Amino acid sequence: IRDVLGSRGLGDVYKRQDQNITNMNQHHRCLICLGSNHNGVAHLKSAEQELEKISSGIHWGNAVETAAEDTASSGSYLNRAALMNTTLSKEKLIEEFKKIESRHGRTATGKQQGIVPLDIDLLTYDDEIVKPADLKKSYVQQALQSVVQ
């Protein structure tokens, strides 16, 4: 994450984005990243609307098209990161992400075949880095750039 943040830490990013997120009391701050390699615009737009419902504030970065990385797919992905504020626990938030992915047609079989209609990753939860390996991936770094500016 330092690649994107430079010398700034997560706390600096969160402070800078506070003005874009309302109702910050007792809420958890998260970095998330969405991705799709199948009808990406539609899946991301629909997922963003669903995520708005479980968020008490969200700051979206720009959508970026990236090459497939560490997957069976050879096509490109549409990715978008966000700084999200929520009252949900980490476990409940991940559970909600899985439900949203499932509603968009994500299956284990599809993933094995390289078909990912929707992937939602919880990268950080408050000061905890939930997926350190994902934070180093180039597609995540690209998606995060417009969130942390």
Side-chain angles (χ1 to χ4, degrees):
I1 193 162
R2 290 274 180 208
D3 292 348
V4 171
L5 298 178
S7 62
R8 298 169 291 163
L10 287 174
D12 293 331
V13 172
Y14 293 145
K15 287 176 193 169
R16 290 183 53 212
Q17 297 303 329
D18 278 350
Q19 65 219 26
N20 298 321
I21 299 176
T22 58
N23 302 323
M24 297 299 287
N25 296 335
Q26 303 297 318
H27 293 190
H28 304 282
R29 300 175 198 184
C30 311
L31 280 174
I32 63 172
C33 190
L34 285 67
S36 175
N37 71 353
H38 179 73
N39 200 9
V41 173
H43 284 295
L44 263 57
K45 184 174 182 174
S46 177
E48 290 161 10
Q49 292 171 348
E50 291 185 66
L51 290 166
E52 295 277 350
K53 294 176 185 174
I54 62 170
S55 170
S56 53
I58 196 160
H59 171 73
W60 290 103
N62 298 326
V64 294
E65 188 171 349
T66 62
E69 190 174 327
D70 299 331
T71 100
S73 173
S74 60
S76 64
Y77 277 74
L78 189 61
N79 296 284
R80 192 169 190 195
L83 179 61
M84 178 180 180
N85 201 33
T86 185
T87 58
L88 298 177
S89 69
K90 179 176 75 171
E91 294 76 17
K92 181 67 175 168
L93 188 59
I94 292 169
E95 181 181 314
E96 290 298 318
F97 288 176
K98 297 298 178 199
K99 288 178 185 176
I100 294 169
E101 290 173 346
S102 180
R103 284 195 292 270
H104 285 265
R106 174 118 186 225
T107 65
T109 303
K111 185 176 178 182
Q112 290 171 349
Q113 295 171 345
I115 301 168
V116 182
L118 182 65
D119 181 39
I120 307 172
D121 289 324
L122 178 61
L123 303 171
T124 68
Y125 186 85
D126 290 331
D127 290 328
E128 176 188 355
I129 297 176
V130 178
K131 292 198 165 187
D134 283 2
L135 279 170
K136 295 176 183 175
K137 292 183 178 181
S138 64
Y139 70 89
V140 172
Q141 294 281 314
Q142 291 175 53
L144 285 173
Q145 285 191 13
S146 63
V147 174
V148 300
Q149 291 179 357

